[in-house]
Amino acid sequence: MAQDETKKKIFDVSLFKRLLDYIKPYRTVFIIALVCVIGLAVFGALRPYVLQEAVDTQIAKKKYDGFLFYIGIMLGLLVIEVICQLLFIYYASWLGQSVVKDIRVKLFRHMLKFRMAYFDKSSVGVLITRAVTDMERIADIFGQGLFMIFSDILKMAVVAGFMLFMNWKLSLIVFITMPIIVFATKVFQKYMKRAFEDVRTEVSNLNSFVQERVTGMKILQLFTRETTEYKKFKAINERHKKGWLKTVWYNSIFFPIAEFVSSLTLAMVILVGGYDVVSENPGTTLGHLVAFTMFIPMLFRPLYQIANKFNTLQMGMVAADRVFKVLDTDSNIDDVGTIEANHFKGEIEFDNVRFSYVKDEEVLKGISLHVDAGETVAIVGATGAGKSTIINLLNRFYEINSGHIKIDGIDITEMTLSSLRNQIAVVLQDVFLFADTILNNITLNNEYITEEDVITAAKAIGIHEFITTLPGGYHYNVKERGVMLSSGQRQLISFLRAYVTNPSILILDEATSSVDSYSEQLIQDATDTITKGRTSIVIAHRLATIQQADKIIVMDAGQIVEMGTHSSLLKKKGGYYKNLYEVQFLKAEVV
């Protein structure tokens, strides 16, 4: 209901005030732009007045001795107006881009601290729209909206003042028709705001759709879904087109009406004023008539162009509202810990931990486990058993419902978030690499990790030779998501990324589930090296890779059903692990 009320507002004052707060660091530039706006209004309105004086004192009386003087004044006013226009355009645009820079930086910093749950429920395309496209609309508020509207209103006020001062009778004719434009403008603004909200929604949908399909292009082509997705894209694009056509339709109605009323008013002024001049009625001169032919467009054009500029302002306001909603989203992990975790011994304890991604649908149902410092613990179980959830909770990507998670006897909520994660390295099954060099993907631009450190670490885990075979070696650009490397090579890079940080705790999540036998052997050798002397948690489907673990935890449906060494678990008659092991090796023998 509240959202509907917001949509009905022509202009959200509270939102606008919030936006103006970002101008405070740039007060000087704001004042310069404001002075230029005032200059445009005053000097622009002075030109018709000077022309009226020139006509009445020189041309009407057939005198030319002071004519050049008036021409010089008009040229001077024109030059000043041009300078004001130049300075206004530059400083207004500079102010807009500066404000947008600040908001974009704040938005990105805020997004970096979101819980994973926020990204689980949010579209990547929509977030990109907020951080890029919507920001440009906010910049337009200052470059084309706010100042231009203020300039037009001020110009209209000054022009109206000059008109009343010069000839109240002709002014009255002009002012009688103005309510028609005002009413039409108000109706136009109302419908255009709705149309622009629809446009922004469809832009977000379009960005989201394209981003997802480009990312998943291989899947679309493998399953020959090109035609289906093409039809979906056409439908979304059609809705986007219809949204924009609404704005075109409203413009095509409003502006011809406004021009017609303006031309009709000018005709009435010429008719009444011309009659007074010909009849030599007092109060109206030829100069008034000439000046009013300039004043009327100066009064009417800003009036109906305000509607167009108000549309720009509204588009920016709609975009600002969307951006501020992201900024107002309270989805951050509570980083209130005070303990700086410089190094862990590696003792981990889960004490009756309960957790759910979706309310009332528990994924972990009272998990309790203990890992001694330096131990290698394997976690096995069917898909959806809750294995990866344990990793997410240990890194505080999500907050638990109840229970405690402790490292070295200290609750992880008492530690600063950055120091906690700095001591835990994770190698995921789905390795993400940025469109950058291998070196930067390993160090993640950490200034404390040198290229020599990376090379030494690569030699230690046996993958230096593989990297040096690539063109450019450590400076080889792997392109977006690491597409220039095989899945096994990406996995090796992720092992090196984890190892070079010298973590206290290492987590391997399905690290060998989708690689070839050669890469698997390299990964196994790397695993033996990087797990030595540190607490390690290994999640694996291939039970052959975890037989040497100090402890194996077997999970099913969010609970620990068995725990022990490989040999002890195999001795349990009808045990979950034993059945799982026998099924895997029976399949291997069949193959």
Side-chain angles (χ1 to χ4, degrees):
M1 187 69 181
Q3 188 176 358
D4 293 337
E5 290 299 320
T6 302
K7 285 187 176 182
K8 289 178 183 178
K9 290 181 181 179
I10 295 296
F11 187 78
D12 192 332
V13 176
S14 61
L15 179 64
F16 189 66
K17 286 181 178 178
R18 184 176 179 182
L19 196 59
L20 290 181
D21 285 340
Y22 288 90
I23 294 179
K24 289 179 180 177
Y26 310 105
R27 287 189 185 91
T28 302
V29 175
F30 178 79
I31 292 170
I32 292 173
L34 200 59
V35 169
C36 291
V37 164
I38 296 171
L40 284 171
V42 173
F43 295 119
L46 275 173
R47 285 189 291 113
Y49 177 74
V50 173
L51 181 61
Q52 177 257 322
E53 288 293 318
V55 170
D56 286 342
T57 61
Q58 301 294 308
I59 296 176
K61 296 181 179 180
K62 297 183 180 180
K63 294 181 180 180
Y64 301 102
D65 52 328
F67 190 70
L68 290 179
F69 170 74
Y70 285 107
I71 294 298
I73 292 177
M74 289 191 66
L75 285 175
L77 291 172
L78 187 61
V79 169
I80 294 173
E81 194 177 352
V82 168
I83 293 172
C84 287
Q85 183 81 8
L86 186 150
L87 293 175
F88 162 71
I89 292 173
Y90 176 78
Y91 283 113
S93 299
W94 186 93
L95 181 64
Q97 290 301 322
S98 297
V99 168
V100 162
K101 178 205 69 174
D102 293 344
I103 298 177
R104 185 182 280 126
V105 168
K106 185 176 181 180
L107 177 68
F108 190 71
R109 186 190 299 119
H110 189 62
M111 288 167 58
L112 286 173
K113 297 179 181 179
F114 279 160
R115 294 185 179 100
M116 287 298 107
Y118 179 85
F119 297 104
D120 293 340
K121 299 174 184 177
S122 301
S123 164
V124 174
V126 169
L127 291 177
I128 291 173
T129 301
R130 299 292 173 269
V132 181
T133 310
D134 284 341
M135 288 297 175
E136 293 307 317
R137 300 290 77 79
I138 294 174
D140 290 341
I141 290 177
F142 302 96
Q144 303 174 30
L146 172 65
F147 286 115
M148 293 302 293
I149 290 173
F150 180 74
S151 173
D152 288 342
I153 292 174
L154 188 61
K155 183 180 290 186
M156 288 166 57
V158 173
V159 166
F162 270 101
M163 291 171 68
L164 283 170
F165 172 73
M166 291 168 58
N167 192 309
W168 67 268
K169 184 178 180 181
L170 297 182
S171 300
L172 189 61
I173 296 172
V174 176
F175 296 158
I176 287 174
T177 58
M178 285 186 67
I180 300 174
I181 298 293
V182 172
F183 175 76
T185 300
K186 188 174 181 180
V187 174
F188 179 64
Q189 289 168 355
K190 179 181 177 182
Y191 284 98
M192 284 298 284
K193 185 175 189 293
R194 294 177 184 174
F196 280 132
E197 285 175 346
D198 292 340
V199 167
R200 298 311 310 150
T201 299
E202 294 306 327
V203 167
S204 295
N205 292 338
L206 196 61
N207 286 347
S208 180
F209 184 89
V210 172
Q211 188 271 335
E212 288 182 349
R213 270 58 185 183
V214 170
T215 303
M217 188 59 69
K218 183 181 289 186
I219 298 298
L220 297 185
Q221 294 185 356
L222 280 172
F223 289 89
T224 63
R225 306 304 295 168
E226 297 95 331
T227 303
T228 302
E229 297 303 318
Y230 172 69
K231 289 178 180 177
K232 287 183 180 179
F233 177 79
K234 283 183 69 177
I236 294 174
N237 203 35
E238 181 67 22
R239 292 199 300 270
H240 179 261
K241 183 194 77 172
K242 286 179 179 178
W244 272 112
L245 284 179
K246 278 185 182 180
T247 67
V248 174
W249 171 246
Y250 296 146
N251 277 294
S252 65
I253 294 175
F254 173 74
F255 285 104
I257 291 175
E259 284 289 351
F260 174 77
V261 173
S262 176
S263 299
L264 187 63
T265 303
L266 181 60
M268 292 172 62
V269 167
I270 291 175
L271 179 65
V272 174
Y275 178 81
D276 285 348
V277 171
V278 172
S279 303
E280 296 184 352
N281 290 332
T284 302
T285 65
L286 182 62
H288 290 160
L289 207 58
V290 173
F292 267 71
T293 59
M294 292 182 66
F295 274 137
I296 289 173
M298 292 176 69
L299 184 67
F300 276 72
R301 189 164 290 119
L303 183 62
Y304 59 75
Q305 282 186 348
I306 280 178
N308 200 29
K309 290 161 188 173
F310 201 86
N311 293 335
T312 300
L313 180 61
Q314 284 181 325
M315 284 187 72
M317 294 291 285
V318 170
D321 183 51
R322 294 172 185 268
V323 170
F324 286 144
K325 280 179 181 176
V326 178
L327 281 171
D328 292 339
T329 300
D330 184 15
S331 187
N332 295 354
I333 295 289
D334 294 328
D335 190 10
V336 294
T338 57
I339 299 175
E340 288 289 334
N342 296 320
H343 181 73
F344 292 142
K345 293 178 182 177
E347 182 184 358
I348 302 172
E349 182 182 358
F350 277 63
D351 180 17
N352 194 29
V353 173
R354 292 183 176 275
F355 171 75
S356 56
Y357 292 104
V358 180
K359 191 177 181 180
D360 299 327
E361 294 182 17
E362 282 191 335
V363 177
L364 296 185
K365 304 169 183 177
I367 292 291
S368 293
L369 62 89
H370 186 274
V371 180
D372 291 327
E375 265 192 331
T376 295
V377 175
I379 304 177
V380 300
T383 301
K387 305 185 299 296
S388 296
T389 300
I390 289 177
I391 296 171
N392 291 331
L393 298 182
L394 190 61
N395 280 280
R396 289 196 68 198
F397 287 136
Y398 302 86
E399 297 285 27
I400 60 178
N401 297 347
S402 62
H404 297 278
I405 302 175
K406 298 179 181 179
I407 299 178
D408 294 347
I410 303 172
D411 196 299
I412 59 174
T413 59
E414 297 178 18
M415 306 174 192
T416 62
L417 199 58
S418 60
S419 67
L420 169 69
R421 292 176 178 172
N422 279 337
Q423 294 303 314
I424 303 174
V426 182
V427 179
L428 298 171
Q429 174 186 359
D430 184 19
V431 179
F432 187 93
L433 297 181
F434 295 94
D436 207 334
T437 63
I438 288 178
L439 179 64
N440 287 340
N441 269 290
I442 293 169
T443 65
L444 296 178
N445 297 305
N446 186 333
E447 59 183 2
Y448 298 107
I449 303 175
T450 65
E451 184 171 354
E452 289 72 24
D453 294 333
V454 173
I455 294 173
T456 301
K459 290 178 179 177
I461 64 175
I463 65 172
H464 173 71
E465 185 177 345
F466 139 65
I467 295 175
T468 54
T469 60
L470 298 171
Y474 289 87
H475 297 279
Y476 177 62
N477 194 311
V478 300
K479 304 302 180 183
E480 187 175 356
R481 299 182 69 89
V483 294
M484 302 304 291
L485 301 177
S486 68
S487 58
Q489 290 172 329
R490 290 197 295 270
Q491 198 68 265
L492 289 169
I493 296 301
S494 70
F495 266 81
L496 184 53
R497 176 195 285 168
Y499 182 61
V500 78
T501 62
N502 192 27
S504 301
I505 297 172
L506 178 68
I507 299 173
L508 307 178
D509 185 5
E510 308 284 6
T512 61
S513 62
S514 59
V515 298
D516 56 81
S517 56
Y518 173 73
S519 295
E520 182 178 357
Q521 185 57 51
L522 285 176
I523 290 172
Q524 191 59 54
D525 293 341
T527 301
D528 294 340
T529 301
I530 67 177
T531 57
K532 193 175 297 181
R534 57 170 56 89
T535 303
S536 303
I537 298 176
V538 181
I539 296 176
H541 279 305
R542 298 184 186 182
L543 302 186
T545 62
I546 49 95
Q547 293 181 21
Q548 303 303 317
D550 298 311
K551 185 189 299 179
I552 297 175
I553 297 171
V554 185
M555 295 188 66
D556 182 41
Q559 295 178 313
I560 296 175
V561 293
E562 292 177 355
M563 190 182 302
T565 63
H566 172 71
S567 58
S568 66
L569 290 173
L570 286 181
K571 292 176 183 177
K572 288 187 177 183
K573 193 171 182 180
Y576 190 102
Y577 180 81
K578 183 179 181 180
N579 291 335
L580 195 64
Y581 182 82
E582 288 176 349
V583 169
Q584 280 201 13
F585 277 85
L586 182 61
K587 286 183 179 179
E589 288 177 4
V590 171
V591 173

